[in-house]
Amino acid sequence: MKKKLFNLLFILGLVLLGSPMVLSCSDNDEPEQREEPTPEPDPTLPPNPTPIRWVENEVDGGERGVGIKVTSNTEHNFVFECTPGAKIQSYRLDVYPLCRMYNYLFESVGAGVQATEEEVEDLIMEAIYNSEGAGAYTFSRSTLGDSYSNAEFDWANSKYSQSEIVPGAEYLIITVGCNDEGGQNPADMKICYLKTPVQSVVGNPRVDIDVTASYHAVGIQYLPNTDCKYFYQFCGDSEPIDAFINTYGKPMYVDFMRHWIQRAEEAQVPEEDLYYLVDFGYTAEPTRMITATSIGLDENKTPGTYVRQDFHLKEIDPNAEKPECSLSVNRAGASMVDMNVEMKKNCVAMFYRIFSASDWAPYENADEATMTALAQALDQEGWGVKNTNFAQEGSFTGTQFQFDLAPNTSYVVAYVGRNEYGQLSEEVKHASFSTKERITDTPNTSEANIDITISDPGRTSLKLNYSYNQKTAVFYHQYIMTPDLLEDGNKAELINYLLSADSNVWPANATGGVEDFTWTGLDPGTEYTFAYMAEDWNGVLTDVKIVKATTEAIVAGPNPTMELHAYMSEMGNFTVQFSIVKDVAKVFHTILEDKYSASGDYTYQECMKVWKEHCLEYGLTTVNSITQSYDDTSEAKRLVALCVPIGADSDGNEVIGELYTVFYDKDKGIITDASVLFPDAPKSVKGMIGTSKPQVINRDRRIPANMIAKEEVKKNTPGAMMSGSTIYLDLKKLGKHPHAK
């Protein structure tokens, strides 16, 4: 671990003091007793520049406001009641960690400025009415029903909580009475203050920080001791961190660390899981101080030791060579282009993006600032190519492709290179090309050839085998759910469907080849018809071919078995495929908000019993495999998908199968193993699969530019650190809105 300069000077001071201490010993050689130096106290804070007018634990709302009364306050939750006044029609409500509200106010007012309570109230009202979706929640009779006149909020277990409630932290419950049903016409604002209780810390939880700084990024290894069970960390510019601490104090900054992410991180995990790559991008500046901080927590999440590490990024060699690379168009078809790329040994990676000619026109004679911004955009948002020979100081040649182009269109591909210091090429270079016209009416002249066969039919899956020649540029295929498309006279419509976004468009390997892919989530005992065609490099489509296969039928039996595939849809919704495996006559299924496991008050068996009864009584029913999606995923803290299959015994009597579950958690994502949530749950549960597969399967082999990390950081850090998370931070702020994440 790297030590602070202060620690080194302190140790040297003790060594220098050692000699005179020995000389001053008395005849009995007993050393003179000296008092240990006491730590310097934290500096006295100046007057609070953003005073907030609040009332502790209970506030009267009056006729035009909303009364607030805290009825329960524990280390990790609090419960409060809201009583709206007689003259309001609705109200806005939210809970804010005081630290985040102070940060929001401080950044809004500015350093060195003293605001009045009235000015602060205006700013808080702006936060509550924030138009970017981070404003307070609106409640009325239509949303709360009979409980409107005296609603109770169990905050940590509600879907409105924005972050974990932590011990010994300060919170503001803020309400605004409104004169209308929609919460748009505010009346009186009321603010209730509370502080959660805290136990004495167990042991000395501490997380040391090991920093490996580079030129635009830093690798941070967090090293918790054995007393530390959870921790929080934050890394950013020292200036705003110091300004916040000097204004509100170190304890309030510790609270900020505990609320800038939603939940504390596990500390007793493999070391590689505690490595973070913080990328400062083009805000990187070696003369600016950067600060990494951590706070360790015990098993009760009581905060322990605060650790701070200040550092600078490395200075770039003034004689560093700018990266050299080149790109040229090899061949272009109607919807695909092949490109040759070359990187010299001083180029770590190159990045490119293809523009239509009209989109490129503003850059044709653009000024230097515009082209610099374009270069940075290519580096962060384009497609990337990595120089795999860079470590051996070698150059690189290879090919790249893009297959989602429009026929008969002019394009420009713009590109830049990046060296080991994160510097980009001197200029953005570009190459022009045009795609060919697509020809659909002469399939016999197409040089492409493709065949698809189907094998290994399962109850819910089919394996497709693809074989094509090297003249094939792209191929299109999809199963046809509308039989009318296959009728005579509808070929043009069928071709348009295969060319659309609802079909699968896959680039072919340049040398031709054989591929296979297993389609899942299909219905049992069902015939599927796949239509497919290919396109050659001249833009000529082959004729449409058809291949059919039938999934295996399922007969009801005594062991009804399911398989659940869970994934996030393209709309960001929790989606589950309930797939029949065997012995199933019908299925009960549903997705609902999980209020049981999140509370921690129920065992695994208790939850399973209640959920199974609920699914059988209120769940949807089907005789086939089915996909269900939860539309309000973003508003839910935790969801659970439930499924109970029904089979039959040899006499035809109904057999109720086991309950299948798969979870979605706002912080942990898709959870297929219930033991993650329930300590008493079985460790291995079959039949649940979490996946990110969309309905239209993308076989894109290109690499997004932001997936190519800055090599100089990884090269200088232990191999165990290389799988860590990458964090991109706005270093100018600690988070503008009090609910900003």
Side-chain angles (χ1 to χ4, degrees):
M1 293 292 298
K2 298 178 180 178
K3 302 295 184 182
K4 292 185 178 179
L5 179 60
F6 173 84
N7 291 338
L8 293 175
L9 293 174
F10 181 69
I11 293 170
L12 287 173
L14 290 180
V15 172
L16 293 173
L17 286 171
S19 178
M21 286 176 63
V22 173
L23 292 174
S24 65
C25 289
S26 62
D27 293 340
N28 59 8
D29 293 330
E30 291 183 3
E32 180 182 347
Q33 298 298 316
R34 293 178 180 267
E35 292 185 3
E36 292 293 329
T38 56
E40 288 290 332
D42 289 336
T44 302
L45 296 176
N48 190 332
T50 55
I52 303 173
R53 184 186 295 124
W54 66 55
V55 179
E56 292 191 29
N57 296 321
E58 184 174 2
V59 56
D60 181 18
E63 291 185 328
R64 299 178 59 79
V66 180
I68 308 166
K69 181 180 180 180
V70 178
T71 59
S72 173
N73 184 8
T74 62
E75 294 174 63
H76 299 287
N77 192 19
F78 44 83
V79 180
F80 58 92
E81 297 174 349
C82 287
T83 306
K87 293 187 176 181
I88 62 171
Q89 301 300 312
S90 66
Y91 60 91
R92 290 208 172 197
L93 159 71
D94 214 340
V95 173
Y96 301 90
L98 179 58
C99 58
R100 295 210 66 123
M101 181 59 76
Y102 274 154
N103 181 65
Y104 163 71
L105 296 173
F106 186 54
E107 290 180 351
S108 300
V109 171
V113 178
Q114 181 72 38
T116 65
E117 287 184 344
E118 289 74 19
E119 290 170 331
V120 167
E121 286 184 358
D122 290 341
L123 290 170
I124 293 175
M125 189 72 80
E126 286 181 14
I128 289 174
Y129 277 86
N130 184 276
S131 62
E132 297 178 356
Y137 302 98
T138 301
F139 298 95
S140 64
R141 295 186 188 277
S142 62
T143 57
L144 292 176
D146 294 338
S147 64
Y148 170 75
S149 59
N150 190 23
E152 182 180 80
F153 293 91
D154 181 2
W155 194 250
N157 295 319
S158 74
K159 64 182 179 181
Y160 311 110
S161 180
Q162 295 288 321
S163 60
E164 186 176 26
I165 305 301
V166 299
E170 299 170 83
Y171 297 92
L172 300 178
I173 306 171
I174 304 178
T175 59
V176 177
C178 301
N179 298 314
D180 63 317
E181 276 279 335
Q184 297 300 313
N185 189 350
D188 290 347
M189 180 168 65
K190 302 297 178 182
I191 302 177
C192 181
Y193 167 93
L194 67 94
K195 184 173 183 178
T196 53
V198 61
Q199 299 182 32
S200 298
V201 65
V202 178
N204 179 33
R206 176 187 176 96
V207 181
D208 287 313
I209 302 171
D210 192 9
V211 171
T212 304
S214 188
Y215 305 97
H216 287 77
V218 60
I220 303 178
Q221 181 70 60
Y222 292 100
L223 301 165
N225 62 11
T226 55
D227 289 341
C228 183
K229 306 305 179 185
Y230 307 91
F231 78 104
Y232 290 94
Q233 51 77 29
F234 186 79
C235 177
D237 259 6
S238 298
E239 184 178 351
I241 292 174
D242 287 337
F244 186 89
I245 292 174
N246 294 336
T247 304
Y248 301 108
K250 189 186 298 179
M252 192 58 65
Y253 175 71
V254 169
D255 268 12
F256 171 83
M257 272 201 296
R258 294 195 292 166
H259 289 95
W260 86 280
I261 58 175
Q262 289 186 325
R263 298 203 176 279
E265 301 180 59
E266 297 279 349
Q268 299 305 316
V269 297
E271 188 173 290
E272 58 266 25
D273 292 344
L274 301 178
Y275 171 77
Y276 294 81
L277 177 63
V278 186
D279 190 341
F280 297 94
Y282 295 101
T283 66
E285 173 54 59
T287 61
R288 189 174 61 219
M289 184 73 76
I290 307 296
T291 295
T293 53
S294 69
I295 186 74
L297 312 176
D298 67 11
E299 58 192 14
N300 301 312
K301 296 190 176 178
T302 303
T305 303
Y306 167 81
V307 176
R308 172 171 176 156
Q309 178 84 328
D310 294 333
F311 60 92
H312 291 92
L313 297 176
K314 293 170 66 174
E315 291 192 29
I316 297 174
D317 183 350
N319 299 316
E321 293 182 347
K322 289 297 180 70
E324 299 175 78
C325 60
S326 62
L327 179 150
S328 61
V329 175
N330 181 24
R331 56 180 176 175
S335 59
M336 184 166 170
V337 62
D338 262 353
M339 299 168 287
N340 296 322
V341 299
E342 181 179 358
M343 286 176 273
K344 301 297 185 183
K345 65 180 183 179
N346 61 7
C347 187
V348 171
M350 68 175 296
F351 307 93
Y352 69 93
R353 181 179 167 189
I354 295 180
F355 298 80
S356 67
S358 58
D359 288 341
W360 175 255
Y363 297 107
E364 196 66 53
N365 297 300
D367 57 25
E368 183 178 353
T370 300
M371 297 309 289
T372 298
L374 173 61
Q376 295 175 359
L378 295 175
D379 178 48
Q380 295 297 319
E381 302 170 9
W383 297 107
V385 189
K386 187 177 178 180
N387 181 354
T388 55
N389 301 320
F390 180 79
Q392 291 77 38
E393 298 185 357
S395 59
F396 173 88
T397 58
T399 60
Q400 282 290 290
F401 67 90
Q402 187 146 328
F403 63 91
D404 45 4
L405 304 174
N408 198 27
T409 302
S410 297
Y411 287 98
V412 174
V413 53
Y415 63 96
V416 293
R418 185 169 72 193
N419 65 11
E420 64 179 312
Y421 304 105
Q423 294 174 309
L424 300 181
S425 305
E426 293 283 2
E427 60 179 348
V428 177
K429 296 182 180 180
H430 65 277
S432 302
F433 67 94
S434 295
T435 52
K436 295 182 173 65
E437 183 179 357
R438 178 177 287 133
I439 301 172
T440 62
D441 56 357
T442 58
N444 292 333
T445 65
S446 179
E447 296 180 341
N449 181 46
I450 185 171
D451 287 298
I452 296 179
T453 59
I454 301 178
S455 62
D456 300 332
R459 294 181 175 92
T460 59
S461 64
L462 293 170
K463 183 179 180 181
L464 271 66
N465 306 285
Y466 312 88
S467 175
Y468 50 85
N469 64 5
Q470 63 182 14
K471 300 289 187 178
T472 301
V474 295
F475 56 97
Y476 311 85
H477 59 108
Q478 184 58 284
Y479 54 82
I480 306 301
M481 304 301 291
T482 308
D484 293 350
L485 284 174
L486 302 175
E487 294 179 358
D488 292 340
N490 290 339
K491 180 174 285 189
E493 188 177 352
L494 177 58
I495 290 173
N496 288 335
Y497 173 73
L498 291 175
L499 293 171
S500 74
D502 293 326
S503 179
N504 290 279
V505 184
W506 291 0
N509 291 326
T511 57
V514 176
E515 301 182 56
D516 62 71
F517 187 85
T518 300
W519 290 74
T520 60
L522 306 178
D523 292 335
T526 304
E527 183 182 69
Y528 284 87
T529 300
F530 283 83
Y532 64 97
M533 63 185 181
E535 183 177 289
D536 68 12
W537 282 100
N538 294 316
V540 183
L541 290 176
T542 66
D543 204 354
V544 179
K545 296 182 181 181
I546 302 295
V547 62
K548 299 181 179 182
T550 302
T551 52
E552 185 178 345
I554 293 180
V555 179
N559 185 25
T561 306
M562 298 291 296
E563 188 172 78
L564 274 57
H565 297 253
Y567 60 93
M568 302 306 293
S569 72
E570 292 181 345
M571 300 297 293
N573 292 328
F574 179 50
T575 304
V576 180
Q577 293 176 346
F578 300 93
S579 299
I580 295 172
V581 176
K582 68 174 184 177
D583 289 358
V584 177
K586 62 180 178 180
V587 180
F588 290 92
H589 65 93
T590 187
I591 302 176
L592 48 85
E593 190 171 352
D594 171 14
K595 296 184 178 179
Y596 295 112
S597 66
S599 70
D601 297 331
Y602 304 95
T603 67
Y604 172 75
Q605 294 297 338
E606 288 171 337
C607 286
M608 294 302 113
K609 180 180 178 181
V610 172
W611 280 332
K612 186 171 185 178
E613 292 174 353
H614 179 92
C615 188
L616 289 170
E617 186 171 356
Y618 300 106
L620 303 173
T621 183
T622 179
V623 296
N624 291 316
S625 300
I626 194 169
T627 299
Q628 185 179 355
S629 188
Y630 192 89
D631 294 335
D632 296 323
T633 301
S634 61
E635 298 182 8
K637 191 171 185 178
R638 184 176 294 165
L639 300 171
V640 59
L642 308 175
C643 170
V644 180
I646 307 298
D649 61 19
S650 57
D651 296 326
N653 298 314
E654 188 174 83
V655 174
I656 299 176
E658 297 295 325
L659 173 69
Y660 289 76
T661 60
V662 61
F663 299 82
Y664 164 78
D665 185 270
K666 201 171 195 176
D667 303 321
K668 300 178 180 179
I670 292 172
I671 301 171
T672 59
D673 184 354
S675 65
V676 173
L677 305 176
F678 297 92
D680 59 329
K683 287 294 183 182
S684 177
V685 180
K686 296 181 179 179
M688 275 74 76
I689 299 174
T691 174
S692 58
K693 176 180 66 62
Q695 294 302 308
V696 176
I697 302 160
N698 186 358
R699 295 290 296 275
D700 197 341
R701 297 185 292 271
R702 294 171 293 185
I703 303 173
N706 58 21
M707 296 297 292
I708 299 181
K710 305 236 177 347
E711 282 299 308
E712 70 275 7
V713 176
K714 288 189 174 183
K715 188 172 61 177
N716 294 328
T717 55
M721 298 182 180
M722 294 187 182
S723 62
S725 304
T726 300
I727 307 171
Y728 295 91
L729 297 177
D730 178 359
L731 298 179
K732 296 179 181 178
K733 296 182 175 67
L734 302 186
K736 179 66 174 174
H737 190 271
H739 273 170
K741 290 289 179 273

